[in-house]
Amino acid sequence: MATTPRSGSEPDGAPPATATPAARGAVERAEAVLVEQYPRLVRLAYLTLPPSLGRHTRVLLAHRAVQHALPRAGGGRDPGTPGAALEELRVRVLRAALAPAGAARGLLARTGWPPAPPFVWGLRLWPPAGGIDEAAGLLGAAPGPVRAAFVLHRLDGLPEEDVTRLLGAAGAPGPEDAVSGARAVAPGAALPAALVNPGFDATVVSARPTDLLRRRRRVRVAWAAAVAAVLAAGVLAADGSPPRTEAVPAAGAVAAGLLDPARLARVPAEAWADTARVDFTAWPARGGRTADRALLTRALGAWAARPGGIRTTAAPGTPADPPAHPPHLLYAGDVPGDPGATAVVLLLDAEGDRVARYTEPAAGPRAARTLDLARTDQAGVTTAAALTLTPATDGAAARYLLAPWIASAGTRDLLRAEDTARPLAVAADGVTAPVPVPRGSGACGAWPVLELTSSSRIVEKHSFVLADLGALTPVHLTYTPLPDGPGAVPARQPREATGAAARAAWATGACGLRTLGGGGVRAVNVWDFADSELPDGAGRAVWSCTRASGWAGPGDVLVQLRPPSGPPQEVARARSTAACGRFGQHLLAGTRWRSPAGRWYLLAAGSREVTAITASGAVRAETAGRSLVAPAGPEGAPVSLTARLASGARITALDGGSGGRD
């Protein structure tokens, strides 16, 4: 269904009866432009709004931003031409979409109702597959100004200087940086075909009813509450004493609707082979106890009603509240080979992009039970390829449930570059044989990882590596090789950690994965961003940045210098940064280094767009190119490093904060 503005819920700028003819004419001209450009303006607002709001909320807020972008009569200058009117509308839409979360957004998130039209009751809206959400997937968790710049430049075709001007007029912070960030989004990649089709309409949405039983229950509860209030008022009037409070069920009306296993969503076994969305929503229900109503009821109750005696953990950034709709059933069964006969249930909250793991031992439902929650938003072929069925605790090995599109599985030691994958047994229901998992901070003698291969029905000859960091969702490991040189080719993108260069890079840095436990990590990439000749004939070293990207967007980075022999040297660390990611592709780092001859040097290197490096402070040196070598100053003496990019911009060295533009 396509949504368009209609008279009867006019935008804010509808001309008042007292407006002058000139003012009324200006507003009418702007309204004509708004109606003509409505789909593009909605696309701009939808993709600029943060993805954390959810698709339904973004659809409503996008239409609201556009419908209320019309200027009031007499409230500003006459745009004059359609082009000027469109520019003014874009600025107003951007201003609304980039505004901090406030009363309007909060009310919509809580109730589904905005404080002004459009209103929707009884329906959930979302863009259909293959359209605007494909662009949203490319943008990931990019900041709002970067998202807006991407739409204006890549989709609307505006020159970058016009985009900068529009963002500045809308009050966006750092318009130039936003345009630069948008330039780094999938550089050279073809845009989804639907988006570049002249007939594409961003206002077309899919709709489905909300939970009908829950709605009916809410109405009954509302009527019951009203009747109770009337009766209570009558009692107060009769005897003047306050009414007694009654106990309220802990689960509430929402949870009560989730406790019925019959309402669990179940996907056909072959659905993954005939869908454009290859993620957790394509997993069928597997395991030997998918028909066990008692077990499923306990698992649903653990999430929805949250009774006592259940240990609940949620990965960082993962809400622990009950799902709004009946979840998908992914697995229910007893862990094979477990002497304690632990039962496991895996559930997916597709609306909230979360997965839950419920476990109970054979001693019965009253024994110690657990509920673990993790985020799954924007998961795909690799990041939705496995879930940890039983974690490795007390020295026990872990078992995994593999996605239905995994054709073969193996394990290998990440610390040994020459190690080849050994076959891993997988049962008919997708459960793997036990896999040892390194734990603790002791010696790092081995680091087993999963090497999986997708079915040719999804993609041909596609193998990838997953590592268990103790969370419900294993982590996808990737590698970005050294650049070919500034301006030669577009920046390289992360690739699977299966080639010879990737194995060699990960073999020296695998033990660093121990510092990333605790959940919330989606993928870890090793980026070899530079190499340089070491002084005193010590050979050639590689500079790498390891980035652990969280499901929420920000990530932690570790920069290391890998000499030709010996262990790598830590250069810098930074937390919750965009550095070394899609929106932080420019990097400069430096460190003190002692040569085999015993002399100390200051070494620095930059990524592919760096053309010159300058050191100031205790060391004063300058070089043209991407690497610098100079005699080091006194230990502990401050040194500042800056670099010039091919574009003329300047960056500072990553030093535990984040690389920044001057």
Side-chain angles (χ1 to χ4, degrees), residues 331-416:
Y331 180 87
D334 295 325
V335 177
D338 181 7
T342 300
V344 180
V345 177
L346 295 175
L347 301 169
L348 172 69
D349 176 16
E351 193 79 17
D353 291 321
R354 296 175 297 167
V355 67
R357 179 182 62 204
Y358 167 81
T359 65
E360 65 176 37
R366 296 184 181 276
R369 294 180 287 167
T370 64
L371 179 70
D372 300 290
L373 301 166
R375 290 180 63 159
T376 60
D377 41 317
Q378 302 296 326
V381 172
T382 55
T383 48
L387 288 172
T388 304
L389 194 66
T390 57
T393 56
D394 300 327
R399 290 180 183 266
Y400 306 93
L401 180 66
L402 302 184
W405 56 83
I406 298 302
S408 62
T411 62
R412 64 178 175 87
D413 188 352
L414 199 59
L415 292 178
R416 291 165 176 76

Side-chain angles (χ1 to χ4, degrees), residues 380-386 402-403 405-412 421 449-455 458-459 461-467 474-478 495-499:
V381 172
T382 55
T383 48
L402 302 184
W405 56 83
I406 298 302
S408 62
T411 62
R412 64 178 175 87
V449 292
L450 297 174
E451 185 165 313
L452 308 178
T453 301
S454 300
S455 167
I458 295 293
V459 58
K461 299 179 180 179
H462 177 224
S463 296
F464 53 95
V465 176
L466 301 181
V475 174
H476 183 207
L477 303 185
T478 57
R495 56 195 64 184
E496 303 303 345
T498 53

Side-chain angles (χ1 to χ4, degrees), residues 495-589:
R495 56 195 64 184
E496 303 303 345
T498 53
R503 289 168 178 255
W506 269 108
T508 60
C511 291
L513 290 171
R514 290 181 298 183
T515 64
L516 303 177
V521 178
R522 172 179 179 170
V524 182
N525 179 59
V526 172
W527 172 30
D528 287 345
F529 66 90
D531 59 346
S532 60
E533 199 68 36
L534 295 174
D536 294 343
R540 199 161 187 84
V542 175
W543 297 73
S544 68
C545 181
T546 301
R547 175 181 172 83
S549 298
W551 290 95
D556 300 341
V557 300
L558 167 65
V559 177
Q560 292 180 304
L561 175 69
R562 300 202 310 265
S565 60
Q569 177 176 322
E570 181 174 324
V571 175
R573 286 181 180 268
R575 298 183 63 84
S576 298
T577 177
C580 305
R582 182 186 298 176
F583 305 105
Q585 296 187 4
H586 303 310
L587 182 64
L588 173 66

Side-chain angles (χ1 to χ4, degrees), residues 250-251 287 597 606-607:
S607 52

